[in-house]
């Protein structure tokens, strides 16, 4: 069986700042994998390299064993890579359904943004069917015609997930989906994510600061620290690793005397 996704030796610097150093990571079909690390560790930079928003200085990005490093963003999306953004960028007065339909077009690199924004593009039956399925799956069916400004932050996060699901990804890159949510909203999001992932079976690479969410959702986890991978393995083992606890949780050794 071919590995769904693999990155090997990815490096990226920004004018002298080494954001990623030799990062290698793989995700099998249907697998739930975590990518954690302190602020500034390079997690979002890694996502951007995978998505084609940034070009790595070195290293390869493979999907189905094929090098996709030369493909533009929308062609990677068409091959099955979806994403959610760390900061939600929703248009306040557009409805939930409009967001999903528009996202689908943009990510596929089809249609004209302006034409779609002014509602002249229309949507075909296939798009509407996929949209309704995603809304149903996320429990947003009743809110489909509501402007997103009427939603809670938690519901807004679900719209963001819904936008990514419209392109039927085989690999979903989720960047801090619980950002800004309280415990209860985070738990609700986690439950929905688990249900949707179980239903659709896509693989997830989850960047999260909420350790409970990572622990409950992922099977394996990678840990980035200042651009270096410092640990990887089954999530429970990684979370218990001393180096990880020091880098990520700032644990101080008990009895160290300082
Ligand atoms: N576009 C950019 N230009 C310059 N520096 C950047 C840019 N994007 C990220 N960085 C730097 O790269 C490092 C990693 O950032 P980032 O990938 O956003 O980390 P994380 O998502 O893990 O918090 C940080 O030092 C950040 O300041
Ligand atoms: Mg980030």
């Amino acid at each position: 069986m071919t590995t769904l996704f693999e990155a090997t030796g990815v490096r990226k610097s920004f004018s002298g700042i080494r954001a990623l150093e030799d990062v290698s990571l793989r995700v099998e079909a249907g697998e739930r994998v975590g990518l954690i690390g302190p602020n500034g560790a390079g997690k979002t930079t890694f996502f951007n390299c995978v998505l084609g928003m940034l070009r790595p200085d070195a290293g390869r990005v493979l999907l189905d064993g094929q090098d996709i490093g030369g493909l533009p963003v929308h062609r990677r999306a068409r091959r099955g890579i979806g994403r959610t953004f760390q900061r939600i960028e929703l248009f306040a007065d557009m409805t939930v359904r409009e967001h999903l339909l528009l996202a689908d077009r943009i990510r596929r690199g089809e249609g004209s943004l302006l034409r779609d924004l002014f509602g002249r593009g229309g949507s075909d039956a296939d798009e509407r069917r996929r949209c309704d399925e995603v809304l149903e799956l996320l429990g947003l069916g009743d809110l489909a015609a509501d402007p997103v400004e009427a939603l809670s932050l938690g519901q807004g996060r679900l719209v963001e997930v819904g936008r990514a699901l419209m392109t039927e990804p085989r690999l979903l890159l989720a960047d801090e989906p619980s950002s800004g949510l309280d415990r209860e909203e985070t738990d609700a999001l986690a439950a929905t994510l688990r249900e949707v992932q179980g239903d659709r079976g896509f693989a997830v690479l989850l960047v999260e600061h909420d350790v409970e969410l990572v622990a409950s959702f992922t099977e394996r986890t990678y840990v980035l620290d200042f651009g270096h991978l410092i640990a990887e393995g089954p999530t429970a083992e990684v979370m218990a690793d001393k180096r990880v606890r020091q880098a990520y949780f700032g644990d101080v050794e008990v009895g160290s005397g300082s």
Side-chain angles (χ1 to χ4, degrees), residues 166-177:
M166 281 298 289
T167 51
E168 302 183 335
R170 291 181 295 142
L171 172 64
L172 178 67
L173 306 181
D175 199 350
E176 308 261 9

Side-chain angles (χ1 to χ4, degrees), residues 5 7 10 25 44-54 56 61 68 71 76 81 171 173 205:
F5 171 78
V10 172
L25 177 161
T44 298
T45 301
F46 181 74
F47 272 12
N48 286 330
C49 288
V50 173
L51 289 153
M53 317 280 288
L54 288 173
V61 179
I68 57 166
L71 298 182
R76 298 187 199 202
I81 303 183
L171 172 64
L173 306 181
L205 184 57

Side-chain angles (χ1 to χ4, degrees), residues 81-124:
I81 303 183
R83 81 161 327 170
T84 67
F85 286 89
Q86 185 168 1
R87 258 178 300 150
I88 320 184
E89 281 161 29
L90 300 171
F91 303 96
D93 56 356
M94 272 172 57
T95 69
V96 171
R97 176 178 275 114
E98 282 165 351
H99 271 89
L100 266 57
L101 291 172
L102 185 58
D104 188 39
R105 300 242 172 141
I106 293 172
R107 286 177 193 183
R108 283 166 178 267
E110 288 164 6
S112 144
L113 175 58
L114 279 177
R115 191 190 65 196
D116 285 337
L117 278 177
F118 289 107
R120 303 214 180 95
S123 49
D124 61 35

Side-chain angles (χ1 to χ4, degrees), residues 34 36 214 218-224 230-246 248-249:
I36 64 174
V214 176
T218 66
E219 302 157 279
R220 275 195 311 125
T221 292
Y222 291 84
V223 185
L224 261 182
I230 59 165
E232 65 176 275
T235 300
E237 286 174 29
V238 166
M239 297 280 188
D241 185 282
K242 202 165 125 189
R243 277 180 75 198
V244 172
R245 300 196 67 85
Q246 280 171 355
Y248 192 60
F249 304 109

